[in-house]
Amino acid sequence: MKQCRLGYEKLNLDEKLVYDNLLNAFITFSDSVDSNRFKKNIDLMKVLNVVVGDNPSIIHFNKSQIKLSSSMFSGKQIKLCGTYSRSQINKIYSELESKVEFALNEIELLNPITIYDKLICIYEYLQDNVTYDEQELEQMCRTGNIANPFSHNAYGALINGRAVCDGIVAAFSLIAQRMGIESTMVAGKAKFYTTDFSNHAWNLIRVDDKCYHVDATWDINKKDNTGEYSYDYFCVDDVLISSNHHWNINTTHVCDYNDLSFYSRNKCYANNLSQVEEMFLRYAKSKQQFVRVRIREGIAIPGSDQQQYLGQLLMSVASKAGRNVPFEYYWNDDTRCFFAKFKQ
């Protein structure tokens, strides 16, 4: 397994010292870290998130129960108050390892050849097997505390099949890293069908020295709404994801490629409305059930209702091609992705 250092690489030297000490504490299952050597101005929670983001197999403590303490005898320490007993740790790690092996075997049956194939398989596996934990989100919004620590790591996503964003991120990274793909976590804010930004996490991956954003959580939520796979936030660049995701760009690698996005690889990225019409015609003639098109930012879509215009355009094109079949459709204005599903 290729070690991921994506988050580590963006830290300064003082933060890297903290990172190394925290990582050593986690892998040795310590319940405290001597922080006397750490500089006072270091954001310890930021570094903690980077450590966990780079190392998604770390699941044996509650991130909300980490405290700073000091005493005359031991000096300053970071207390990991939410750690489990050694027997519990052995059990959960054994269960997680078995589940990761199961997921890898399931993906291998699909015979993924390229890195793109592997990433798509991971993405679809999570959409098939993980549900967003709305109950945990509501609890956090109401009390400000984590009620179910497992929903925030790979165990919750892969074993329980329920997790919030950081748990889904960890599951994606864990499988990706086992397949030789570097993946870490980005901590920021985002909005999904709401007007307000709230805390959120997603993945950043590196393939052949190119970096991409991956937000499996948002596409899992979209699949819950449409019943079909969604790829709107799969391997996208800084510009596209920043439409509804905010983060400190100085803490992450630059993502300025879209060549691994679903829409680029499947030639359904439209640079003008004529190309949209051509793609609709291609879909109509091929009798495919699903239509997926992404329209470049800046291309004006006529009318006050963009979704309705695109739906009517598809209906007109399909009718001319002799495909008079009802369909349902959706438009994501943030990612400028259009999706339609013809009835069988």
Side-chain angles (χ1 to χ4, degrees):
M1 182 177 70
K2 187 175 183 179
Q3 184 178 14
C4 176
R5 307 287 274 180
L6 284 171
Y8 178 86
E9 291 169 1
K10 298 299 291 184
L11 299 176
N12 62 41
L13 291 177
D14 293 325
E15 291 170 332
K16 286 177 179 177
L17 173 64
V18 179
Y19 181 109
D20 291 335
N21 278 267
L22 286 174
L23 180 58
N24 182 67
F26 293 153
I27 62 179
T28 58
F29 307 120
S30 301
D31 59 6
S32 65
V33 179
D34 179 4
S35 59
N36 287 295
R37 292 184 297 161
F38 302 160
K39 291 191 175 180
K40 294 180 179 180
N41 62 342
I42 292 178
D43 185 341
L44 295 177
M45 289 308 299
K46 168 197 168 183
V47 180
L48 173 82
N49 281 328
V50 174
V51 176
V52 174
D54 281 353
N55 301 275
S57 62
I58 297 173
I59 61 173
H60 61 277
F61 66 94
N62 185 336
K63 287 184 285 186
S64 68
Q65 295 187 30
I66 296 178
K67 301 177 181 178
L68 301 180
S69 66
S70 62
S71 70
M72 182 181 302
F73 302 103
S74 61
K76 296 178 181 178
Q77 288 191 322
I78 301 172
K79 290 287 188 179
L80 309 178
C81 304
T83 55
Y84 306 115
S85 68
R86 197 55 182 263
S87 62
Q88 289 175 313
I89 290 172
N90 291 337
K91 180 176 182 294
I92 61 179
Y93 274 100
S94 176
E95 291 175 343
L96 182 60
E97 176 61 23
S98 296
K99 195 63 176 181
V100 171
E101 286 295 332
F102 175 83
L104 291 169
N105 289 335
E106 289 289 295
I107 291 172
E108 187 63 30
L109 291 175
L110 300 174
N111 193 33
I113 298 173
T114 65
I115 294 295
Y116 172 82
D117 295 337
K118 293 176 180 179
L119 288 167
I120 281 287
C121 286
I122 299 171
Y123 215 60
E124 293 180 351
Y125 179 86
L126 294 178
Q127 290 189 44
D128 283 337
N129 294 280
V130 182
T131 300
Y132 189 81
D133 192 343
E134 297 284 354
Q135 185 175 352
E136 174 65 12
L137 176 64
E138 291 173 5
Q139 173 71 15
M140 290 174 59
C141 291
R142 187 169 59 251
T143 67
N145 297 317
I146 291 176
N148 183 1
F150 285 132
S151 286
H152 297 264
N153 60 43
Y155 186 98
L158 297 177
I159 302 295
N160 299 334
R162 298 185 68 84
V164 290
C165 57
D166 47 350
I168 294 170
V169 167
F172 182 94
S173 284
L174 188 55
I175 299 174
Q177 289 181 15
R178 288 289 293 271
M179 300 182 81
I181 303 166
E182 291 180 281
S183 177
T184 192
M185 179 180 72
V186 179
K189 293 180 179 293
K191 59 178 180 177
F192 186 75
Y193 295 139
T194 64
T195 57
D196 297 325
F197 281 84
S198 57
N199 291 336
H200 186 50
W202 60 96
N203 293 88
L204 187 147
I205 67 170
R206 181 162 59 194
V207 178
D208 296 331
D209 292 325
K210 299 177 182 178
C211 292
Y212 310 84
H213 294 279
V214 175
D215 192 339
T217 300
W218 271 194
D219 280 319
I220 285 173
N221 286 335
K222 286 203 68 178
K223 191 196 176 191
D224 286 344
N225 293 330
T226 66
E228 305 300 336
Y229 292 127
S230 177
Y231 310 97
D232 289 10
Y233 298 93
F234 177 82
C235 291
V236 298
D237 62 15
D238 287 337
V239 173
L240 189 145
I241 204 166
S242 64
S243 65
N244 56 10
H245 290 61
H246 292 169
W247 73 103
N248 183 349
I249 60 174
N250 297 318
T251 64
T252 62
H253 291 271
V254 174
C255 299
D256 52 7
Y257 295 94
N258 278 311
D259 56 303
L260 284 185
S261 79
F262 175 90
Y263 295 90
S264 295
R265 291 296 289 250
N266 289 279
K267 295 180 171 55
C268 47
Y269 186 95
N271 290 299
N272 52 59
L273 290 180
S274 294
Q275 288 185 354
V276 174
E277 192 167 350
E278 291 170 4
M279 291 174 188
F280 283 174
L281 181 60
R282 186 182 73 205
Y283 278 114
K285 287 183 174 180
S286 67
K287 305 297 183 182
Q288 293 185 52
Q289 185 180 12
F290 306 119
V291 176
R292 292 184 172 93
V293 174
R294 171 170 274 153
I295 304 174
R296 184 170 64 84
E297 183 71 30
I299 301 302
I301 300 174
S304 59
D305 189 329
Q306 297 176 331
Q307 176 170 287
Q308 184 180 39
Y309 173 86
L310 293 169
Q312 290 177 342
L313 178 61
L314 176 59
M315 181 182 299
S316 174
V317 171
S319 179
K320 291 177 182 177
R323 192 175 188 188
N324 297 301
V325 180
F327 60 87
E328 54 186 356
Y329 59 94
Y330 309 89
W331 166 251
N332 185 335
D333 188 53
D334 288 325
T335 61
R336 296 182 66 80
C337 291
F338 178 82
F339 170 81
K341 178 181 178 181
F342 284 96
K343 293 185 178 179
Q344 297 283 44

